[in-house]
Amino acid sequence: MNIILAQYHGMCFGVRDALRTTHTAAQRGPLTILGQLVHNPLVDRHLVTLGAQRGDLDDLNSASTQQVAITAHGASDRHRQAWHSAGHTVIDTTCPLVRKAHQALAMLVNEGYQPVVIGQSQHVEVRGLIGDFPAAVVVLEESDLERVPTHPRLGIVSQTTQPVEIALRLVDAIKRRHHNSEVRFIDTVCHPTKQRQTALDDLLRDCDHIVVIGGRNSNNTRQLVQKAAAHGMPTLQIEGPEELDPAWFCEARNVGVTAGTSTLDETVDGVMQRLRQIAAELRTTPVHEFLRSMLHAA
Ligand code: SF4
């Protein structure tokens, strides 16, 4: 069994910077993080050990500390201002590429476009994006396009972690439905997301099994899983090496490994190490004996 790690995988600079800033703030004094800093349970546990508390961006009563942190997913200006006005020191770890999406949407609105956001309506990044623009319509599936109103100018941005092919497909569908409107799309899918999606294409070409490492509520991790599964590839999503089941790899020849943008390097290293062990076990043990030992262990 060969194990191939995607050329681009794992933690992006936006998450790394947010972690660093939050870590420093938590060491400086009591801190409340307004939401899940990144969609990674290991990181959550680490922040708890530093004494960081969890608050709710929507609830000004959810933080008893002076310092509060906005997560890498960003927030609306309205929320940011509300926390400032309530007397808190706001540590803003919004990723610069999420900020670019906010700026793109603001520019479209200022130029008179009806705002449309491609993404998951309940995702914290999308809620932040539309928070200052109540007229914005969020779409994710073609069936959502009925909600896009007729308007002479439609201005579209995307959640940063959506696969760009999905965004482009929806933009085309909007153009077809609104052929009398000017439709303008600003591509705000972030570069690290695009790199990880493209690197997965390489794995899909060369591998017969795919392992995706990342939090179960991480959008970009889910997108990697969905892409591999849609390709008909046996695909396993795990949060850490302890979830690897050797029996799953009995028929694997080339296993591709990738990880979402909030996955720690240590987690990727741990998974690679465990996969190498499994590969060695499979090499030295006849399959029927291997399966018997698995059943026995279970
Ligand atoms: S996934 Fe993209 S937008 Fe999100 S934190 Fe990373 S670089 Fe920034």
Side-chain angles (χ1 to χ4, degrees):
M1 180 173 111
N2 300 309
I3 305 153
I4 305 164
L5 184 58
Q7 184 185 7
Y8 297 103
H9 62 268
M11 193 163 281
C12 60
F13 77 94
V15 169
R16 223 176 270 284
D17 288 354
L19 275 177
R20 204 174 292 131
T21 307
T22 312
H23 191 101
T24 308
Q27 285 178 323
R28 205 167 38 226
L31 171 74
T32 302
I33 300 167
L34 301 175
Q36 192 176 11
L37 184 69
V38 293
H39 292 148
N40 179 322
L42 277 179
V43 172
D44 274 353
R45 287 201 283 277
H46 172 67
L47 290 169
V48 168
T49 63
L50 289 177
Q53 296 166 33
R54 174 83 75 86
D56 179 352
L57 186 65
D58 292 319
D59 180 2
L60 289 174
N61 295 317
S62 66
S64 55
T65 57
Q66 171 65 26
Q67 298 191 103
V68 296
I70 289 174
T71 70
H73 312 98
S76 66
D77 287 342
R78 189 170 53 83
H79 274 107
R80 200 174 276 111
Q81 193 50 50
W83 284 93
H84 271 300
S85 302
H88 290 278
T89 305
V90 178
I91 293 149
D92 193 347
T93 73
T94 304
C95 172
L97 301 184
V98 173
R99 276 184 200 281
K100 265 179 85 172
H102 280 256
Q103 287 159 0
L105 193 61
M107 188 189 78
L108 289 168
V109 172
N110 287 339
E111 291 183 8
Y113 289 88
Q114 157 66 45
V116 178
V117 176
I118 295 172
Q120 294 166 292
S121 59
Q122 290 312 308
H123 190 279
V124 60
E125 181 193 321
V126 174
R127 285 195 282 123
L129 267 173
I130 64 170
D132 292 321
F133 306 106
V137 177
V138 182
V139 296
L140 188 59
E141 314 278 346
E142 297 227 1
S143 57
D144 299 330
L145 299 187
E146 285 168 18
R147 288 191 279 106
V148 177
T150 303
H151 191 283
R153 308 179 92 192
L154 296 168
I156 311 169
V157 299
S158 172
Q159 184 177 355
T160 55
T161 51
Q162 280 300 312
V164 74
E165 313 88 80
I166 292 183
L168 291 174
R169 205 164 54 230
L170 284 167
V171 171
D172 273 349
I174 291 173
K175 283 182 177 166
R176 281 197 305 278
R177 290 174 79 106
H178 296 266
H179 47 86
N180 291 325
S181 305
E182 179 203 344
V183 178
R184 181 167 173 203
F185 172 54
I186 301 180
D187 178 1
T188 51
V189 177
C190 78
H191 191 55
T193 291
K194 286 177 181 162
Q195 282 180 322
R196 280 149 189 73
Q197 288 273 336
T198 313
L200 176 59
D201 286 333
D202 295 339
L203 293 184
L204 292 172
R205 207 185 41 239
D206 300 335
C207 300
D208 46 55
H209 283 62
I210 297 287
V211 175
V212 182
I213 317 163
R216 301 207 197 283
N217 58 349
S218 152
N219 183 52
N220 74 85
T221 302
R222 192 180 313 119
Q223 298 295 350
L224 293 169
V225 172
Q226 283 175 357
K227 180 172 190 156
H231 208 263
M233 189 68 73
T235 304
L236 183 68
Q237 180 182 0
I238 54 168
E239 290 187 342
E242 65 287 349
E243 292 179 41
L244 287 171
D245 175 2
W248 193 77
F249 297 92
C250 275
E251 293 183 359
R253 291 285 165 270
N254 295 301
V255 177
V257 182
T258 185
T261 54
S262 50
T263 308
L264 296 169
D265 297 344
E266 299 90 290
T267 309
V268 176
D269 292 345
V271 169
M272 291 300 285
Q273 202 178 336
R274 179 71 188 115
L275 281 172
R276 284 188 210 105
Q277 280 172 359
I278 291 173
E281 287 164 20
L282 284 170
R283 240 192 324 271
T284 52
T285 318
V287 170
H288 63 280
E289 273 181 35
F290 180 79
L291 280 174
R292 197 180 312 131
S293 73
M294 286 297 106
L295 286 172
H296 199 64

